[in-house]
C-alpha cells in the first residue's frame, strides 16, 4: 500500500521512520513537510577523519548535519530511531563498487562504522517554491538531474573526487531570487556554484545527467547549478574503501531537524 | 619599534605574517583591515578526529575555517606562510596545562601535528562598527571579556567542555541590529547564543570574566553573549593531551581569506 502525498506530508519524522523500519520502501520527497531530510554515508572509522575533513574543505557539496560516533546507531537527529533500519533503502559499496540495495543494514552492522548525515536540497527547494519559483524536476515528476563536473573538489587524505552539481532551470527573471533565497541556507548547499554556462563546468549535454533524470528545459530559463550531496559519495567511492553504505537515490533519512533551523539570518 | 595602527591596517596578510615570522610579537587587533583572523589549535593526529567532530557538533563556538594535514605547515589560508612562525605568539600546553608562551613553534614541530584554524569574532565586529554599533571593549581599549558558562558543549569522543561565551554590552535600541548583522556570519560564530540574562548561563558577575578583561557596562546597554572561539581550546585542555598548542590571546593568525567571504547571504 503506497501512502498518499497529503497523508505523508503531515507525518512526524518519528512516525515516518517507523514505517520505513517496518519495511516500507518509498522515495521520501514530499514526506514530513518542514523537516530536513538527509543524505547518508557510512564508512569505517579508519577513514572517518578523512571524510569529515573532506566535508570541512567542501562545505557547499558536503554540508554535514550530524555525525554518529563509531558504532552508534541513533542520535539527536533521529531521536528513538535506528540508522540501520530507518532509511527506506540503502546502497552497499564494496571496494568502491555498488554491489547491493537493501531495506535494512541490520545484517551488515559493525562497531567501527561511522555515520555521516549530509544536508539535502529538499530543504531549500521548499522556500523557492513558496516564493513562486518553478522547480522543473518537481513539476515534471522526476528526480533532479545531477552532473559530474570537470572541477575537482578539494581532497583530504585518501578522499578526493569531482564536484557533482544538481541543475535547476530557472526563469531568467527569477534567477536573482533563487540565488538570494538559497544563499540563506549555507548549511544545506547554499547559493549556486554556477549560473548559466554548463560548458565551463565541463558539462557537454544537459540532456545526459550522470545521476538522476534529465528534465525538459522550459523556454526562457537559465540552467543554475548547485553543489550536490552526491559529491562525498562519489569521492568516497573513488577511494575504494572495503565497505561503505549510502542511501538509495531519493530514499533519504527524515530527521527531527526543521528546515527552518538551517535558515540564516 | 611598535607599528602604528593606520600602517598595519593597510598591510597585506602576507606582509604581516612576514613581520611576525621575523620576530615581532604584537596583538593583531586592527591589522590587515578586511582580512579574517583566526584562532589556532594544534593537536596530535591521534585526537584530531575527535577535535574536528567536536567542532562539527558545536559550529557556533568552533567555526573551522581550515585544517592543515598532519605535519603540513602551510595551506591556502596562509599562502607562502609557515604556521610554526607566522603567529605572533604561541601557547604550549602539556597534559592540559599552559606551560610556556613562545614566539615560534619551530623547535617543537612534529610530523603528526594537525593544525585547526578557527574563526574569530573580529570578523563580525567590523560590520557592527560600520553600522554604528559601539563595541565597548574596543572603545575602552581592552580585550573582550569571556566567560565559562554552565552550559556544556556537545562532546565528541574524548573532547568535551563548557561553552565559553564573549560578552558585548549593546545599546537596547541596537540589539536587534547586532543580532541581524552577526547572523549573516554563521561561519564565524554567527548570531548571539543569549541576550540579556547572565544568570541563565551561570555567570554570576560580569565584572569577573574567566578570560580577557572586564569592560565597563554603559548605561542603557544589554549584555549580549556570543559563542566564543576559546571553547575548543578549553575542551581540548580538559582532555589533557600530552601536547597541544594555541595562539596567545589576541595574537591571532592573519589569514588570506577576506571577512566578506564569510558573509551570507
Amino acid at each position: 500500500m503506497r501512502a498518499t502525498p497529503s497523508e505523508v506530508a503531515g507525518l512526524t519524522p518519528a512516525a515516518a521512520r517507523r514505517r520505513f523500519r517496518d519495511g516500507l520502501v518509498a522515495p521520501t520527497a514530499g514526506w514530513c513537510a518542514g523537516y530536513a531530510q538527509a543524505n547518508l554515508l557510512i564508512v569505517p572509522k579508519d577513514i572517518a577523519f578523512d571524510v569529515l575533513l573532506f566535508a570541512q574543505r567542501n562545505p557547499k557539496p558536503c554540508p554535514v548535519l550530524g555525525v554518529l560516533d563509531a558504532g552508534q546507531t541513533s542520535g539527536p537527529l533521529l531521536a528513538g530511531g535506528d540508522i540501520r533500519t530507518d532509511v527506506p533503502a540503502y546502497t552497499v559499496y564494496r571496494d568502491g563498487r555498488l554491489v547491493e540495495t537493501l531495506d535494512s543494514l541490520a545484517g551488515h552492522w559493525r562497531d567501527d562504522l561511522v555515520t555521516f548525515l549530509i544536508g539535502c536540497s529538499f530543504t531549500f527547494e521548499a522556500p523557492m517554491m513558496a516564493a513562486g519559483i518553478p522547480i522543473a524536476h518537481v513539476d515534471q515528476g522526476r528526480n533532479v538531474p545531477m552532473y559530474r563536473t570537470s572541477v575537482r573538489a578539494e581532497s583530504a587524505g585518501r578522499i578526493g573526487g569531482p564536484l557533482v552539481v544538481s541543475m535547476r532551470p530557472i526563469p531568467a527573471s527569477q534567477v536573482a531570487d533563487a540565488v538570494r533565497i538559497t544563499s540563506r541556507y549555507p548549511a544545506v548547499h547554499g547559493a549556486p556554484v554556477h549560473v548559466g554556462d554548463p560548458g565551463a563546468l565541463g558539462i557537454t549535454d544537459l540532456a545526459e545527467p550522470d545521476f538522476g533524470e534529465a528534465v525538459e528545459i522550459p523556454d526562457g530559463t537559465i540552467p543554475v547549478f548547485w553543489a550536490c550531496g552526491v559529491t562525498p559519495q562519489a569521492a568516497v567511492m573513488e577511494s575504494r574503501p572495503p565497505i561503505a553504505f549510502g542511501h538509495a537515490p531519493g530514499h533519504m533519512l527524515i530527521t527531527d531537524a526543521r528546515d527552518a533551523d538551517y535558515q540564516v539570518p
Side-chain angles (χ1 to χ4, degrees), chain A residues 50 80 105-106 113 173 178 198 204 243 255:
Chain A
D50 290 350
L105 294 183
L113 292 175
S173 66
T204 51
I243 189 82
T255 80

Side-chain angles (χ1 to χ4, degrees), chain A residues 171-231:
Chain A
S173 66
Q174 293 178 299
V175 169
D177 285 339
V179 170
R180 185 177 57 76
I181 291 167
T182 57
S183 52
R184 299 180 72 194
Y185 294 88
V188 280
H189 303 311
V193 291
H194 216 86
V195 177
D197 183 4
L201 291 172
I203 300 170
T204 51
D205 188 353
L206 289 177
E208 298 201 349
D210 296 298
F211 310 95
E213 295 173 275
V215 292
E216 284 161 47
I217 299 192
D219 284 349
T221 63
I222 304 290
V224 179
F225 300 91
W226 279 267
C228 176
V230 168
T231 304

Side-chain angles (χ1 to χ4, degrees), chain A residues 9 13 28-39 65 77 118-130 181-182 184-189 252-265:
Chain A
T28 52
W31 284 60
C32 303
Y35 288 94
Q37 300 197 16
N39 296 286
L65 304 185
L77 286 170
I118 295 163
C120 157
S121 55
F122 290 172
T123 293
F124 69 53
E125 287 180 352
M128 281 204 283
M129 289 187 282
I181 291 167
T182 57
R184 299 180 72 194
Y185 294 88
V188 280
H189 303 311
M252 323 297 287
L253 176 71
I254 301 178
T255 80
D256 293 329
R258 289 178 184 274
D259 287 332
D261 295 343
Y262 299 112
Q263 181 197 302
V264 294

Side-chain angles (χ1 to χ4, degrees), chain A residues 12-53:
Chain A
T12 66
R17 292 192 300 263
R18 200 175 312 120
R19 293 200 189 185
F20 300 128
R21 193 181 315 146
D22 290 344
L24 179 67
V25 176
T28 52
W31 284 60
C32 303
Y35 288 94
Q37 300 197 16
N39 296 286
L40 180 70
L41 182 60
I42 302 178
V43 300
K45 168 96 186 183
D46 171 48
I47 61 164
F49 177 71
D50 290 350
V51 170
L52 189 54
L53 188 54

Side-chain angles (χ1 to χ4, degrees), chain A residues 153-178:
Chain A
E154 216 181 316
S155 62
R158 289 156 289 175
I159 310 292
L163 173 69
V164 178
V165 295
S166 62
M167 188 280 292
R168 293 165 188 77
I170 305 287
S173 66
Q174 293 178 299
V175 169
D177 285 339

Side-chain angles (χ1 to χ4, degrees), chain A residues 33-112:
Chain A
Y35 288 94
Q37 300 197 16
N39 296 286
L40 180 70
L41 182 60
I42 302 178
V43 300
K45 168 96 186 183
D46 171 48
I47 61 164
F49 177 71
D50 290 350
V51 170
L52 189 54
L53 188 54
F54 181 83
Q56 192 281 324
R57 290 182 176 167
N58 298 280
K60 293 193 96 169
C62 313
V64 177
L65 304 185
V67 183
L68 305 185
D69 291 329
Q72 200 185 356
T73 56
S74 195
L77 286 170
L78 63 159
D82 188 324
I83 198 64
R84 298 168 296 186
T85 52
D86 289 8
V87 172
Y90 300 86
T91 49
V92 183
Y93 299 87
R94 290 192 191 277
D95 301 317
R97 286 182 43 245
L98 174 64
V99 294
E100 217 176 344
T101 300
L102 297 171
D103 66 358
S104 164
L105 294 183
H108 288 69
W109 193 252
R110 305 184 338 195
D111 282 345
D112 70 334

